[in-house]
Amino acid sequence: MVRIAICAPGKRLKRERAEAVEALVAERSDISLHFHEQCFAEDGHFAGSDEVRLAALLDCANDPGFDAVWFAMGGYGSNRIAAQAVAQMNEVARTKSYLGYSDTGFLLAALYKHGIGRVAHGPLAGDVRREGGTQAVERALDWFMGGEGGLEPGLDARPAVAFNLATLAMLVGTELAPDLSGHVVLIEEVAEHLYAVDRLLFHVTQHLGGIAGLRLGRISDIPENDRPFGSDEVAIAQDWCQRSGIPYLGRADIGHDAANKIVPFGLEARAARA
């Protein structure tokens, strides 16, 4: 049995979403879920104060009774506790799997930088209420069990990482950023104007020298501006890659949606669980 602890390092999870996930595994004997009570806390924007969110993350990561940590929701906040979290994780935490995306990318990056666990960009528990959410949850659970059916299909023999573009733009150049030399970097974004995507890629590409290449996931829910930008997201990515000497490697099947495929960080994380 794979025992999965769930916490919310950013925004809170609604109980109805937790109940929906629990219903999907109610008859299974190979998975057990534990939603930390912190998931449902509320302190302004956050699922509890920084101290509460940090304590819950460490509860889940350092407890030998769990095999994996699944992030409940994205939303701003994980960057505020990531450095403290990795500094206080024990040897047990290093054996676990960690899964999430969006703003939890700060934590994924910090974990990967410090060699803690088996880290991947993929569905959040709270995605259960999106269209196609049941399949997203099943994809995540399959990965926790060691399955490979939900992996992003374009992964090759090179190490890879995946991030929300705005999260990556805030991450690069900070103490949380891992060395991505030789990696294929996959990006996705949601609800940003095309000029903002252009601005983000201007910044990000300045910090990605030495990567093996960039792949573009879905840029969804693009707001309509008061004037056309003049380039679509593919042309924007190709332009900044060309300017920066980064190989543009085409599209990727990731996005801020329930169809979001799983991208393990590095190569070791792709191996099935023992």
Side-chain angles (χ1 to χ4, degrees):
M1 174 182 288
V2 175
R3 302 156 300 176
I4 303 170
I6 302 169
C7 61
K11 69 179 181 181
R12 69 185 289 266
L13 177 72
K14 294 182 178 179
R15 286 189 185 273
E16 64 184 40
R17 296 193 182 201
E19 292 167 356
V21 176
E22 289 174 328
L24 291 176
V25 303
E27 303 301 320
R28 294 183 61 162
S29 60
D30 56 349
I31 292 278
S32 71
L33 300 179
H34 169 73
F35 283 89
H36 196 290
E37 189 62 25
Q38 172 270 329
C39 290
F40 315 111
E42 190 169 9
D43 185 349
H45 176 90
F46 307 108
S49 66
D50 288 354
E51 293 75 18
V52 166
R53 300 193 323 281
L54 174 61
L57 174 57
L58 292 172
D59 284 348
C60 294
N62 290 342
D63 189 336
F66 300 118
D67 304 300
V69 179
W70 194 8
F71 299 131
M73 295 292 290
Y76 179 69
S78 74
N79 61 304
R80 296 169 60 93
I81 62 172
Q84 294 166 284
V86 296
Q88 296 179 57
M89 287 182 179
N90 61 20
E91 289 304 310
V92 170
R94 293 180 175 273
T95 68
K96 288 181 166 60
S97 299
Y98 300 85
L99 182 66
Y101 73 103
S102 189
D103 259 66
T104 67
F106 289 107
L107 267 174
L108 300 178
L111 290 164
Y112 187 53
K113 177 178 181 177
H114 291 275
I116 299 173
R118 177 176 176 250
V119 178
H121 173 285
L124 299 157
D127 283 341
V128 67
R129 287 305 192 195
R130 292 181 183 270
E131 183 179 353
T134 296
Q135 291 76 19
V137 168
E138 291 174 346
R139 188 181 314 121
L141 297 178
D142 178 69
W143 182 75
F144 282 124
M145 294 288 294
E148 300 179 351
L151 296 186
E152 202 283 330
L155 298 177
D156 57 23
R158 295 170 291 188
V161 294
F163 292 100
N164 167 261
L165 177 57
T167 299
L168 181 59
M170 296 298 102
L171 171 68
V172 293
T174 73
E175 62 181 336
L176 304 179
D179 180 5
L180 298 180
S181 300
H183 289 64
V184 176
V185 177
L186 288 69
I187 56 170
E188 51 82 15
E189 190 51 87
V190 63
E192 293 282 2
H193 290 88
L194 286 173
Y195 71 79
V197 172
D198 190 82
R199 178 194 294 145
L200 290 166
L201 278 166
F202 154 70
H203 178 69
V204 162
T205 53
Q206 305 303 303
H207 292 268
L208 294 182
I211 69 169
L214 183 138
R215 295 178 60 207
L216 179 66
R218 288 180 287 282
I219 309 296
S220 55
D221 298 335
I222 300 170
E224 185 174 346
N225 196 26
D226 59 354
R227 71 202 72 182
F229 182 67
S231 300
D232 65 13
E233 63 269 29
V234 174
I236 291 169
Q238 290 173 329
D239 179 45
W240 286 111
C241 283
Q242 190 277 327
R243 289 171 183 242
S244 305
I246 294 171
Y248 175 75
L249 302 177
R251 302 307 301 265
D253 192 6
I254 63 169
H256 242 76
D257 51 49
N260 188 24
K261 297 301 190 299
I262 295 172
V263 180
F265 283 27
L267 295 175
E268 292 183 6
R270 295 186 204 171
R273 294 181 60 90

